[in-house]
Amino acid sequence: MALNSSFRSLTVDTLTSTSRKMKNRGTRKISVIWIPFFCLSFFLFGMIATNSRLWLVPESDGQVISRRRHEQELQIVSEDSSIKMPAEKRDVITAVYRTHEAIQSLDKKITMLNMDLVEAKNSPEMHSSDSYTPAIESSGKGSQPKKKMLMVIGINTAFSSRRRRDSVRETWMPRGEKLFQLEREKGIVVRFMIGHSATSNSILDRAIDSEDALHKDFLRLEHIEGYHELSAKTKSFFSTAVARWDADFYVKIDDDVHVNLGMLATTLAYHRSKPRVYIGCMKSGPVLSSKSVKYHEPEYWKFGEEGNKYFRHATGQIYAISKDLATYMAVNEPILHKYANEDVSLGAWLIGLEVEHIDDRNMCCGTPPDCEWKAQAGNVCVASFDWSCSGICKSVERIKHVHEKCGEGTGAVWSALI
């Protein structure tokens, strides 16, 4: 401010002095036009001299403001990033989860379609080598719905077991027209299940063909017979049975076991409303690692340390599974792993599923006097056999005796409330 005052005083003095000089020069005059020009020139000169630093202030302030704005923008971007990144991650996780759900839903649909496909396989061309079955003929053309059955029983047998089969036919299994009447009226299918020999059209196969022509009670499987192939035979049975009959239950029985069909039908009908049931005499025997024993398990190491027991599974003499489980096996037959023991294999196929295991000790009664005492007490057994023989010991000679002492009577199956 002092500098401005001094400059203004100097300017005024200069103008005054100049004016006086002009006046003293009598003959020389300055045009009035030049006075504003001089004033403006001196004013601008004063501004440049005194306020030169003012020209730098706006630029400095602009830089500060610009820098602050830049920092604020960076802070905003940083804050936005810290907020948005988790959201983006959540979006990605949500998308992955939805994709996973869609894949699961698609897998379920594919499984259901495969199940429908298996159930729809009822073409005569596909079963041209199989025996005569009224269940197929009663449905007319293969495209028509199959008749609903309560259960399909597959009696496991071998080429060398002709006498066993005859003993079963003479005791608890209906024969001839009674067999087909049982299907029509009670929805119970009973068949001996057997595959083929390793040699095409062998004498063994021809013997079964002749026997089937006589009794019409065989279910031929696409399976090569062999004692160590029982697990594969079981899979083949379920696949074939599901394709041919629409039943609530599928039952596997050995040909040296005595069965009361009426009690079996009543027992299974009691569990009819349950979607996935596995019924039998549940056990958990030791895993045998020694090669010298009969039921040696080559893959014993999969079940833990030596001395461990198997998971719970039904003994192989007789067991039943519901329709959904049989269809599951039919659909997944190629990838179901086979263990040395057939009953263990079945238990393994079901152990990881949502299945209700039903331990029914009435399906594993002993031979007389055990089953006889129970029958006298009004508790008729579903099945009887000897644990020591994994069936009725010397069944050909003894099954008639068991039937006489423990049988439910010929009319029981026809009067069963199913």
Side-chain angles (χ1 to χ4, degrees), residues 215-226:
H215 296 284
K216 296 182 174 61
D217 56 3
F218 277 90
L219 175 64
R220 301 301 295 272
L221 308 176
E222 291 300 324
H223 167 75
I224 304 300
E225 286 291 322

Side-chain angles (χ1 to χ4, degrees), residues 18 22 28-35 38:
T18 303
M22 292 294 184
R28 299 182 63 183
K29 295 182 181 179
I30 298 176
S31 175
V32 180
I33 298 174
W34 290 98
I35 294 176
F38 285 120

Side-chain angles (χ1 to χ4, degrees), residues 99-367:
T99 303
H100 181 65
E101 281 188 331
I103 292 174
Q104 285 184 328
S105 177
L106 183 60
D107 286 341
K108 290 180 180 179
K109 291 180 180 178
I110 292 174
T111 300
M112 291 304 296
L113 289 173
N114 285 334
M115 292 171 68
D116 292 340
L117 180 61
V118 170
E119 292 182 359
K121 290 179 179 178
N122 193 20
S123 173
E125 289 79 6
M126 296 182 63
H127 307 286
S128 57
S129 62
D130 293 338
S131 62
Y132 164 81
T133 53
I136 292 180
E137 290 195 355
S138 64
S139 65
K141 296 181 180 180
S143 60
Q144 294 181 358
K146 293 174 287 187
K147 180 182 177 182
K148 186 68 176 179
M149 299 291 179
L150 171 64
M151 61 180 173
V152 175
I153 299 174
I155 305 174
N156 183 36
T157 192
F159 290 119
S160 60
S161 299
R162 173 64 186 264
R163 295 182 64 199
R164 281 189 180 183
R165 290 190 292 273
D166 286 340
S167 68
V168 170
R169 293 183 181 113
E170 293 171 0
T171 53
W172 62 267
M173 178 181 175
R175 292 179 291 178
E177 178 57 28
K178 288 289 184 180
L179 183 66
F180 306 133
Q181 184 182 356
L182 190 65
E183 294 182 29
R184 295 191 301 267
E185 297 182 9
K186 307 302 289 187
I188 299 174
V189 179
V190 186
R191 295 288 188 276
F192 289 105
M193 60 168 174
I194 193 168
H196 300 271
S197 64
T199 305
S200 177
N201 196 30
S202 69
I203 188 173
L204 297 175
D205 290 313
R206 292 198 300 271
I208 294 297
D209 292 339
S210 298
E211 187 179 348
D212 187 27
L214 177 63
H215 296 284
K216 296 182 174 61
D217 56 3
F218 277 90
L219 175 64
R220 301 301 295 272
L221 308 176
E222 291 300 324
H223 167 75
I224 304 300
E225 286 291 322
Y227 178 77
H228 296 290
E229 297 297 328
L230 292 179
S231 296
K233 186 175 183 179
T234 299
K235 290 197 298 181
S236 180
F237 162 65
F238 287 124
S239 296
T240 306
V242 167
R244 296 189 61 175
W245 293 285
D246 180 14
D248 292 322
F249 296 95
Y250 297 84
V251 187
K252 179 261 179 180
I253 301 174
D254 285 342
D255 62 3
D256 56 354
V257 173
H258 180 269
V259 177
N260 285 316
L261 286 176
M263 282 303 301
L264 177 59
T266 302
T267 300
L268 296 184
Y270 178 78
H271 302 287
R272 208 169 193 170
S273 61
K274 301 175 182 178
R276 293 173 299 277
V277 291
Y278 173 30
I279 308 172
C281 292
M282 300 296 165
K283 65 175 184 176
S284 180
V287 180
L288 303 176
S289 58
S290 176
K291 295 182 179 180
S292 60
V293 298
K294 181 178 180 181
Y295 298 109
H296 163 62
E297 176 58 72
E299 298 182 83
Y300 63 89
W301 58 273
K302 289 186 177 180
F303 298 91
E305 302 299 329
E306 290 188 21
N308 279 5
K309 292 185 176 182
Y310 288 114
F311 40 76
R312 288 285 175 182
H313 62 279
T315 186
Q317 286 83 357
I318 178 174
Y319 53 74
I321 60 174
S322 56
K323 175 182 176 179
D324 285 356
L325 299 181
T327 306
Y328 168 82
M329 292 183 190
V331 171
N332 297 282
E333 180 182 359
I335 60 173
L336 295 179
H337 184 69
K338 304 184 297 293
Y339 290 101
N341 300 299
E342 170 256 341
D343 53 357
V344 172
S345 295
L346 181 77
W349 302 335
L350 302 180
I351 194 67
L353 306 180
E354 286 293 337
V355 176
E356 181 179 354
H357 289 57
I358 298 175
D359 184 18
D360 191 338
R361 309 313 292 184
N362 207 30
M363 296 179 71
C364 53
C365 297
T367 55

